[in-house]
Structure formats: C-alpha cells, structure tokens
Amino acid sequence: MSDSSRDTAEGAGWGAAEPGAYERLMPPKVEKLSWLDPRTLWAARNGVLASWFGDPTGRTRSRWVAQRAAAGAPADKVIRRDDPDRFSFMVIGDTGEGDAPQYAVVPGFLKVSQDTSFSVVASDVIYPVGSADDYGTKFFRPYQDYPAPIYAIPGNHDWYEDLGAFMRVFCADTPALAPEPRPRPLSRAWLRSLLWHRASPHDGQRLDQARRLRSASGQQAAQPGPYWAIDAGPVRIIGIDTGLLGTIDAEQGAWLREVSRGPRPKLLITGSPLYVDGEHHPCPIDGGGTVDDIVRDPEHHYVAAIGGDIHNYQRYPVDVDGRTIQYVVSGGGGAFMHATHTIPRVSVANVTEQDFRCYPLRGDSLAFYSTLYGRRLRLRRFFTLTEADAAAVIAERLGIRQTRSPGRPARVTFRTRLVASLLGAGGRPDRTSRFRLPVRKIYTQLFSPGSATYSPPFFKCFLRLDVTPEAIRLRCHAATGNLRQELDPPVEDEITIPLT
C-alpha cells in the first residue's frame, strides 16, 4: 500500500511527482468554471433569492415526488436490491465541475471500485446550476467505465434550475413540471419569481447522446425520487434531499421518520453534513425537529451519517448514549477544494483533535492555498509556504503535534504567521480573537477559489464501504492527480463500524 499524506510529503503528492494519466479521459476542450466570474454567480443566484424571499424548494419537491408516484414509483421510496450479506459500494461527493480536478479522481475511483455493487453521488452532481447539457462532460463521460449503477442525491447546485435535469437523469426521465399559477402581485413570491433563474427551453438537447456513454444494462438505476432508501444486504442506506438552504420539508421529514424505524442498521447520506468544520449542524425539519434527532434515536439504529456539500473529508466519531455514530463529510469528489486549515482546534460533542480526522491535512491545505494566492496576486515570494512551513505554523496555532514527521526542520517566522492569518488559518478556541474569527468566516465564504487554476496535488477523495453482517469498513482514498496515487490510491482514513 502506498504512503498517505499522514505518512510522507510525497504521499500527499508534493515534490517532483509524475503527472497521472487522467487528462486522456478529458474532452478535447474543457470549459473552466470560475466562481469569481460574475456570470457564474448571477446564474447561481437562486439560493440567495430563496433566503431573501422564501424557499420554494419544499413545494417543488412535493410536486416532483407526486409526479413520480403517479408514474408508479414505490410509495415508500425504497429501492430493494438483491445484494448478498457481504458487498461493497462507493460514495463520492460534489463531483461535477468537469475540469482536471474531477477527472483526476476517475482513475483511482475505477481502480478502488472494482467489484462494488453500486455508487452514490452525495450532493452537487453538476456545477454550476445543474443544467442538463452539462451532464455529458460532468457525469456520463467521467464515469462511463464504471460498470454498476450510480444513485444520487441532489445538492443545492442541482436545485438552481428547479431539479429538472436531475430528475431526467436519475428518476426515469421524469417530464418537466407544469407551470405553477402566477403569484399574487407585489408578494414575496412574486418578487422572487421576477429574478428566479430557470432552465433554458433548449437545455438538454445533447442529453440523449450523452446517455449512450452509460447505456449498458448493468449501469442503469432508476430512483423513486430526489430522496430514497436502498435496502442492500444487511443495511438500509437512506439518502435525503436538503434542497437549496440545507433543510428538509415536513413531507420528507415524515417519510424519513417512517423509513428510519426498525432494527436494521442504517446509514444516512445527506447533502448537508451534520458535523462539519468543528460545528454541529443538525438540519432542521419544517414543522419541528431535526434530522440529527432522527439519527440519534436509538430505536432507529443509525451507525453513520455521511454528508456532501463541503469539498473535503472530515470524520467525527460522536458518542451518543454509549454508542458511537460516525459523522463524515465526503465532498471532495471533483469540485474546488474547501480549505481544512480554517478549521479551528476541534472540541465538539466530546470529539477532540485526537479523535478528529480530515483530508487534506491542515498544513497541506494551507500550503495549497498559499501557493495559489501567491500566483494569483503575483506575490509568490511572500505568500508561498512550503508544506513543512505550513504544517509547523498550523501546529503552533492549534497547539497540536504535527501529523507526519517533517522532512526538514521548519522555523515558524513572522511571515509564516502573517500568511496563515491572512489565509484564515484556524486557531485554539481559548485564543480566538475578535479579529481572527471574522477573517476566517469571510475567507471561507468568499475566497475559496476554483481549483481549475491549480495543478496537482488536487487533494480530492472518495469513499469505499465494505459491508458484512458484523461491520462496515469505511475507507477514504485520496486522489492527487499524480501517477503514484493514481496507480495505488492511498488510504487517508479507515474505520470499522460495528453493526451488532
């Protein structure tokens, strides 16, 4: 097994590494997606409009679900598979930017996924707005050689065109919804409708051609709707749709409570992680209660909750009344990397730094961003930190030991401390200043850049879960874009989750 980033800098992808072969899989022309482009931000405006004028996601979702039910989808929305008691499946989150970082994941994903029964995309299948004509290069082409079905739950970006393309691809080519009656003039809904982004009437003309790339009978998977449950072997896997704003409607909440009952061990897959960046986000349900209330209920027998949306890997083993539930973030499947160096020293739900895991390591994240901003601002000599310098300053700020032994001694200087502060590096809870917290919040919300402007290591990841009647072995594999990690994707984290 090859070294991981926790072992060596070379295992993280640093150094004079040989580039991988992923570029051969890419289309001849790749349109780079920039989140600094005003046109992209304007197209993705529906999330902001929903927060200002009211979120229509729940009502629209109910209409999609009713349409699927009328077409014969099972009322309980359960996909009943015939997998044996021992099987494996993949989870990959936030994939579809269609550029080098997404395709860099593919060779390792195909290698690790051999003999798996199916895969699940956990949030944001397509960026920036879930358009149907983007599915060719951002879904069908990259995963054309994966021989098994792929299920998915939508993320907020898939909702930016009211989920129409997602329903066509994953839910039996569901036809478009009939137009709703016009809202009352001068109402909040009327103001929202004036600015609401909608799909082009010509969108999807290339979709039938793109489907041919995954047309084998063994690759097909028709979902009952945007949220579902899969009974596979000894477990039930439940996928929920958290829409534009990271909440679920009352109808979906009632369904979730119903399918969560019973002694069968369960895993939740959600578009909004319940623990992330050292904080608890229980995910409210319209009408009362939270998703995490359901996960924690001992009568429901959840053993893990895996969420996308945040583009890295994190794991929090939370003790709930004497049993451990693994809360996982897995959104590093292809989109730009969300920083981990902005995560403060972890102390949440009795989970400490000794229990917490993340990928990339905070020092690697800081080195990545310092190099990127050194290029963008043409201040390379000032901004750029080596991986050793970055790891050292992170260890100092958080009061923790370095995860891997440094290749050379690194001295923390005024410059490295200043760069770490400017790039929003997290700190110890007992040393959070009034200045540092706003800097971290502003940085993580506004200045996470598109990774299309960067070169390996990309610090992407995906999960393989091996299920037996006794346990689930969860492994997080890295994809850096370098050949060494492509041929033998390193394991960045591994945990055995008991089922009995």
Side-chain angles (χ1 to χ4, degrees):
M1 183 180 296
S2 62
D3 287 346
S4 73
S5 69
R6 305 182 75 84
D7 300 317
T8 64
E10 291 75 16
W14 297 114
E18 183 179 355
Y22 63 89
E23 290 188 347
R24 302 174 193 170
L25 306 174
M26 297 171 63
K29 184 178 180 180
V30 175
E31 182 179 353
K32 292 185 177 181
L33 176 62
S34 172
W35 292 102
L36 301 178
D37 188 334
R39 293 171 298 180
T40 302
L41 297 175
W42 176 243
R45 63 188 178 271
N46 284 1
V48 175
L49 294 175
S51 65
W52 288 352
F53 300 113
D55 185 3
T57 301
R59 185 176 65 252
T60 305
R61 183 189 294 117
S62 294
R63 297 176 68 209
W64 283 122
V65 169
Q67 185 164 301
R68 287 291 291 132
D76 60 4
K77 302 172 187 60
V78 177
I79 303 165
R80 293 173 172 85
R81 295 179 51 87
D82 58 357
D83 299 295
D85 282 348
R86 298 175 183 271
F87 75 99
S88 303
F89 69 101
M90 306 293 290
V91 175
I92 183 169
D94 298 84
T95 53
E97 286 196 354
D99 51 18
Q102 179 179 6
Y103 280 85
V105 178
V106 175
F109 175 84
L110 293 176
K111 187 177 182 68
V112 172
S113 67
Q114 293 177 17
D115 76 9
T116 56
S117 297
F118 58 88
S119 290
V120 177
V121 179
S123 180
D124 289 337
V125 184
I126 300 295
Y127 292 93
V129 294
S131 298
D133 279 335
D134 283 339
Y135 270 85
T137 57
K138 298 178 181 181
F139 177 74
F140 289 105
R141 184 183 182 111
Y143 312 118
Q144 61 182 313
D145 293 326
Y146 180 67
I150 299 177
Y151 304 97
I153 55 170
N156 58 313
H157 288 269
D158 301 305
W159 268 102
Y160 286 158
E161 291 189 349
D162 293 329
L163 210 64
F166 181 97
M167 297 297 293
R168 291 179 64 180
V169 171
F170 293 103
C171 301
D173 212 8
T174 302
L177 293 173
E180 285 195 288
R182 291 187 178 182
R184 180 171 52 85
L186 302 181
S187 65
R188 295 176 72 203
W190 179 80
L191 292 171
R192 183 183 64 223
S193 69
L194 295 179
L195 298 172
W196 198 252
H197 172 81
R198 296 174 177 85
S200 164
H202 306 294
D203 188 42
Q205 293 182 345
R206 299 190 297 271
L207 189 54
D208 287 341
Q209 181 180 358
R211 291 182 198 270
R212 298 173 188 169
L213 296 173
R214 282 187 51 83
S215 58
S217 59
Q219 294 176 314
Q220 305 312 302
Q223 299 177 190
Y227 56 92
W228 41 258
I230 298 174
D231 282 349
V235 299
R236 171 169 282 186
I237 304 158
I238 298 174
I240 61 172
D241 168 19
T242 56
L244 283 171
L245 301 181
T247 63
I248 69 174
D249 60 277
E251 179 183 331
Q252 185 181 182
W255 168 86
L256 178 60
R257 292 184 178 96
E258 182 64 30
V259 297
S260 297
R261 291 176 179 151
R264 192 170 191 160
K266 298 173 186 73
L267 292 86
L268 181 73
I269 300 182
T270 167
S272 300
L274 303 180
Y275 281 88
V276 60
D277 295 345
E279 299 174 347
H280 185 208
H281 298 270
C283 187
I285 300 173
D286 290 349
T290 70
V291 169
D292 202 28
D293 291 339
I294 297 172
V295 170
R296 288 168 174 261
D297 189 327
E299 297 297 320
H300 295 159
H301 298 275
Y302 277 92
V303 297
I306 303 171
D309 189 53
I310 302 302
H311 307 166
N312 52 47
Y313 173 82
Q314 301 173 43
R315 181 170 63 82
Y316 302 81
V318 177
D319 181 272
V320 180
D321 299 326
R323 59 199 174 92
T324 299
I325 299 177
Q326 299 291 340
Y327 290 87
V328 176
V329 178
S330 182
F336 69 87
M337 186 188 87
H338 277 134
T340 58
H341 66 266
T342 59
I343 302 172
R345 179 168 174 159
V346 170
S347 179
V348 60
N350 292 321
V351 178
T352 66
E353 281 292 328
Q354 286 67 40
D355 311 309
F356 171 70
R357 294 290 183 272
C358 70
Y359 176 80
L361 298 177
R362 292 179 175 102
D364 290 331
S365 171
L366 179 58
F368 175 105
Y369 272 73
S370 73
T371 302
L372 189 146
Y373 274 99
R375 290 178 177 180
R376 282 193 169 177
L377 301 177
R378 298 184 181 181
L379 294 170
R380 297 190 187 192
R381 293 187 63 182
F382 171 73
F383 259 100
T384 303
L385 304 179
T386 68
E387 53 85 17
D389 292 339
V393 72
I394 287 291
E396 179 190 80
R397 291 175 75 92
L398 270 63
I400 60 175
R401 293 183 178 181
Q402 295 189 40
T403 303
R404 62 175 181 253
S405 300
R408 62 170 182 80
R411 186 168 62 90
V412 178
T413 65
F414 173 79
R415 182 183 73 88
T416 57
R417 292 189 183 101
L418 179 58
V419 170
S421 294
L422 291 173
L423 294 182
R428 296 175 61 172
D430 57 346
R431 295 183 182 176
T432 300
S433 69
R434 292 182 179 180
F435 171 73
R436 183 181 301 157
L437 185 59
V439 166
R440 183 170 67 87
K441 186 174 182 180
I442 292 171
Y443 177 78
T444 54
Q445 290 184 352
L446 297 180
F447 297 107
S448 291
S451 54
T453 59
Y454 203 65
S455 56
F458 291 120
F459 297 113
K460 300 292 175 266
C461 60
F462 53 89
L463 307 182
R464 175 175 170 131
L465 293 94
D466 302 305
V467 181
T468 71
E470 298 78 30
I472 298 173
R473 181 174 68 161
L474 181 153
R475 286 177 290 172
C476 172
H477 289 269
T480 67
N482 290 324
L483 184 62
R484 178 183 297 181
Q485 288 80 32
E486 201 172 83
L487 296 175
D488 186 11
V491 176
E492 291 293 335
D493 187 32
E494 179 173 349
I495 185 71
T496 297
I497 306 170
L499 297 183
T500 57

